[in-house]
Amino acid sequence: MVAIIKCRDNEDEYLEFLEDLHQSRRYEWEWSFTRPRDLWSKGRHLLLITSMGTNGRFEVTRVGKSVRRRGARDQDQQLRVTHVRRLRRPLPLAELFDGLTAAQRRHLVEEGHQSKGTGEAIRTLLLRLRPELTEAVQLIEGAIESWDFGDSRAAQEVALQRDATLAVARMAGMQASQLAEWDPPAEELYDDTVPPLFLDMVGAAHHPDELLDPPEPRPQDPSAPSSRMSDQSALEDHLVMHDTRAMHGWLSAETNHVAWRRFQEHDRTLLVANANRTPAEQALGCDIIFYNVTRHSLVLVQYKKLDAERGGFYYPNSDRNLAKELKRMRSLDRYAAMQASHADEQRLDPSPSWIKLCHPRSVLPHTTEMIHGMYFSRRQFESLCDDARLKDGQGGALRFGYKNVPTYLDNTLFTRLVETGQIGTTGTSTDLVRQQVIRSFRGQRNLVLATLSGKEPPQAARNAQRRQTR
């Protein structure tokens, strides 16, 4: 479906403010507005956002995805817009309408959602007049359809791996728009088999600075086994240091069920691996291991799921694996503290071990939206386990939930703190990273491993990137 919105009063200035605020941090953002309900009686749309031009006529300046929200009052409907992309060349609305047939014009609504036939015609004309929007429109339309997988445990593991993959891209401060272009498995997933890898569902990029598939092996390259890791010898040309290359060996020694992708931005390279080897019915969740090679900094995040059937809570005393996992995390934190020195970078929290409590989901959006959750350092989590405020379950049972946890970090704040170097270890050795990779596999956990190499881009490069998006 296609819809058109005409910006009122200061709405265009507010959109520019949002773009400046969020693009400097490279985060997705959203815009909410209200309009008469009778023009927005249907759900989700490819939205053409128009603004008043210098000639006093409306022109299409942006495209995005609009979704109706609940809680509208009186005769107004509240709408939320995400995935907003600005046109490099604004398109006069009159020029767009000139291409419609007489029959399509009769059904045209200058503001609001369009009929199916008129909407398809507007979309076709938009891409004919502005072909550079094709990729953005495909992304928006792909984000409209969600994957509903019900109560499948295998699909739930894919959901956690997807979320962790999005998280490491944000920790690196990189765009993750290509991760919205993924195809859910067409076949039924069985819990007694190893779940598919999320990165295997992600398509190849079309530009050198976006997400890339591993290159095809060259004829002169030695032959390799037919496993997924067989492509990795061809990836050697893209790895920037020996420490990162060694990770291929760590993963292949434990499993051949691995998928790699690469992000690049300016002089930085982010390599992301998805790996698992355990059937879904035996899996104990997902680990993130994020290693900043330049800063020698390590962050480990262990996922735990809230129990939606019991009011959205996590019950530590009912988790038989928690004690063993906390012991592993304490050992890692102690080792990291021993390696730190006064000459290292200062951190708000130099401990590597974190826990994310997240809602189980049965529907995944085709967007870069992460699963809502609460992040805790290992020390904070253990301290909260002794907090009387969390012992409010039946019979005084200890539980973690949004209703009783006094403080936590959300997705945005946590990933931003990692990106800016405010949390994570200092002076971490590659050998320690290798140890944690092996521990994750031995703990029967899915793994998202990421390494970030290269220097932070200068401010001038950041400003240039922002101008290009405008």
Side-chain angles (χ1 to χ4, degrees):
M1 299 291 289
V2 174
I4 298 174
I5 186 71
K6 292 184 175 180
C7 289
R8 300 177 180 175
D9 302 327
N10 298 321
E11 286 180 335
D12 188 57
E13 293 180 9
Y14 180 61
L15 284 174
E16 291 190 6
F17 166 76
L18 289 175
E19 288 171 336
D20 290 339
L21 176 66
H22 290 271
Q23 287 176 3
S24 64
R25 299 182 180 182
R26 298 179 299 280
Y27 291 147
E28 293 287 342
W29 52 274
E30 64 180 54
W31 170 44
S32 295
F33 63 91
T34 58
R35 288 295 189 272
R37 184 177 300 173
D38 58 345
L39 299 177
W40 301 90
S41 59
K42 297 185 179 180
R44 307 182 179 196
H45 304 87
L46 166 64
L47 183 68
L48 279 56
I49 303 172
T50 67
S51 307
M52 185 71 72
T54 55
N55 59 359
R57 297 182 178 181
F58 279 96
E59 54 189 19
V60 182
T61 55
R62 301 168 180 88
V63 292
K65 167 195 169 186
S66 67
V67 181
R68 291 192 306 164
R69 303 189 71 169
R70 298 178 181 176
R73 59 184 182 181
D74 299 329
Q75 299 302 313
D76 284 339
Q77 173 67 56
Q78 187 177 27
L79 297 107
R80 177 171 66 101
V81 182
T82 58
H83 292 79
V84 178
R85 299 292 185 267
R86 186 160 186 152
L87 276 66
R88 293 196 296 270
R89 297 180 297 143
L91 174 62
L93 199 57
E95 182 179 348
L96 184 64
F97 291 164
D98 284 345
L100 297 176
T101 65
Q104 291 163 351
R105 281 177 172 275
R106 287 197 296 270
H107 296 93
L108 175 67
V109 178
E110 293 206 3
E111 184 173 34
H113 68 79
Q114 307 297 320
S115 66
K116 182 178 179 181
T118 301
E120 290 176 350
I122 290 175
R123 179 190 183 281
T124 300
L125 288 167
L126 174 70
L127 297 183
R128 182 186 304 164
L129 296 169
R130 294 292 185 271
E132 65 272 16
L133 284 177
T134 300
E135 191 170 352
V137 169
Q138 290 175 346
L139 171 63
I140 292 166
E141 292 176 335
I144 291 175
E145 298 297 330
S146 300
W147 180 34
D148 187 345
F149 54 80
D151 58 358
S152 167
R153 176 68 186 269
Q156 188 64 245
E157 294 301 317
V158 175
L160 293 182
Q161 202 172 69
R162 169 189 173 276
D163 189 76
T165 304
L166 291 171
V168 295
R170 294 191 183 186
M171 291 180 201
M174 292 187 177
Q175 293 280 5
S177 59
Q178 286 286 341
L179 294 177
E181 299 180 33
W182 61 281
D183 296 318
E187 71 281 359
E188 184 178 354
L189 301 183
Y190 296 98
D191 294 348
D192 60 352
T193 60
V194 178
L197 299 166
F198 170 67
L199 281 179
D200 273 343
M201 304 176 188
V202 176
H206 304 288
H207 304 290
D209 59 342
E210 294 179 349
L211 193 62
L212 297 179
D213 278 320
E216 293 296 326
R218 297 167 297 183
Q220 64 269 31
D221 288 338
S223 59
S226 60
S227 69
R228 179 67 182 171
M229 286 300 295
S230 65
D231 292 337
Q232 301 317 309
S233 61
L235 194 62
E236 297 288 330
D237 293 339
H238 300 303
L239 301 178
V240 293
M241 29 188 333
H242 173 76
D243 289 348
T244 310
R245 288 197 296 268
M247 293 184 183
H248 292 270
W250 307 340
L251 291 168
S252 60
E254 298 293 329
T255 180
N256 62 1
H257 197 48
V258 180
W260 286 89
R261 292 292 187 275
R262 179 183 65 145
F263 292 93
Q264 282 193 305
E265 182 182 284
H266 303 299
D267 294 326
R268 297 184 305 157
T269 298
L270 177 70
L271 288 171
V272 184
N274 289 175
N276 59 46
R277 65 173 186 175
T278 305
E281 60 187 6
Q282 301 173 12
L284 302 178
C286 184
D287 278 351
I288 293 176
I289 298 178
F290 179 78
Y291 181 45
N292 188 319
V293 178
T294 305
R295 287 177 167 162
H296 298 286
S297 180
L298 171 68
V299 173
L300 183 144
V301 183
Q302 186 166 117
Y303 278 68
K304 295 289 185 181
K305 288 184 286 188
L306 299 171
D307 188 342
E309 294 181 358
R310 301 176 66 180
F313 287 95
Y314 169 69
Y315 295 81
N317 295 337
S318 299
D319 188 340
R320 292 177 295 177
N321 302 297
L322 179 62
K324 185 186 301 183
E325 292 164 346
L326 286 176
K327 181 179 179 181
R328 171 171 72 114
M329 298 172 86
R330 281 190 221 104
S331 174
L332 173 61
D333 288 352
R334 283 196 301 267
Y335 184 91
M338 292 170 57
Q339 302 304 309
S341 71
H342 295 294
D344 293 331
E345 293 183 67
Q346 297 299 308
R347 305 274 197 256
L348 292 175
D349 191 329
S351 299
S353 301
W354 291 77
I355 293 174
K356 179 180 181 180
L357 303 182
C358 56
H359 270 292
R361 301 182 66 172
S362 60
V363 176
L364 282 185
H366 284 219
T367 68
T368 54
E369 174 190 345
M370 293 179 63
I371 300 174
H372 297 297
M374 299 178 280
Y375 293 83
F376 308 95
S377 68
R378 189 267 312 166
R379 288 181 296 179
Q380 181 189 11
F381 179 85
E382 292 189 311
S383 175
L384 288 171
C385 286
D386 295 325
D387 193 320
R389 290 173 292 182
L390 274 66
K391 298 178 180 179
D392 61 353
Q394 186 175 1
L398 174 66
R399 60 181 188 170
F400 282 69
Y402 285 100
K403 297 179 181 179
N404 63 350
V405 170
T407 182
Y408 60 88
L409 300 182
D410 61 12
N411 288 322
T412 300
L413 187 53
F414 175 76
T415 55
R416 181 63 174 162
L417 288 173
V418 177
E419 178 194 352
T420 55
Q422 300 302 307
I423 58 179
T425 64
T426 56
T428 296
S429 66
T430 308
D431 185 62
L432 177 59
V433 182
R434 180 186 62 82
Q435 293 176 27
Q436 297 312 308
V437 169
I438 295 174
R439 282 187 172 190
S440 290
F441 280 122
R442 289 178 178 172
Q444 293 184 305
R445 303 185 66 82
N446 293 338
L447 176 65
V448 172
L449 170 64
T451 62
L452 177 65
S453 304
K455 297 181 180 180
E456 289 291 318
Q459 188 61 41
R462 291 179 183 270
N463 292 339
Q465 182 188 38
R466 291 170 58 192
R467 287 195 297 271
Q468 289 173 1
T469 62
R470 297 170 64 92

